[in-house]
Amino acid sequence: MSENKFRSWSLADWPDDVYPNDSLRARRVLRVYRKELMSCGAVSRVGRELVVFADPYIRWVKSKAERVQNFKVAANEARKATVDEPAA
């Protein structure tokens, strides 16, 4: 996210440069992590609108990003190519 460009934003007006980069994906993130985001002060309800506060949200995303660095996904692992199948 750009340097403190926003202090808060609504779910409908999700900034393009903030993970997950659009309001549709953000709805899913907020639905899955609602309790966690509310407990750390990153999300609040103002009337009928959900509002995200930049500083706590950025800290929350960074805490999750640390876990991703060591997360191994089979598709991303460097492996030697093997030829087990005969050529057609």
Side-chain angles (χ1 to χ4, degrees):
M1 181 173 144
S2 358
E3 289 298 316
N4 294 323
K5 183 177 174 184
F6 304 99
R7 294 214 176 263
S8 66
W9 58 88
S10 68
L11 183 58
D13 297 324
W14 198 273
D16 292 337
D17 63 340
V18 177
Y19 172 83
N21 308 103
D22 69 29
S23 61
L24 185 63
R25 291 179 181 152
R27 286 183 192 280
R28 182 166 188 265
V29 169
L30 272 95
R31 186 173 47 243
V32 171
Y33 294 103
R34 178 182 49 209
K35 288 181 183 177
E36 196 174 324
L37 286 164
M38 290 184 112
S39 70
C40 73
V43 177
S44 183
R45 187 172 288 283
V46 177
R48 296 182 63 137
E49 189 126 21
L50 283 175
V51 175
V52 179
F53 299 102
D55 290 336
Y57 181 75
I58 291 167
R59 283 193 302 272
W60 179 81
V61 168
K62 285 181 179 180
S63 75
K64 298 297 180 191
E66 291 171 0
R67 293 180 12 199
V68 173
Q69 291 174 6
N70 299 323
F71 187 72
K72 292 191 178 201
V73 178
N76 294 336
E77 285 187 42
R79 296 182 290 184
K80 278 190 157 183
T82 58
V83 183
D84 292 338
E85 298 177 14

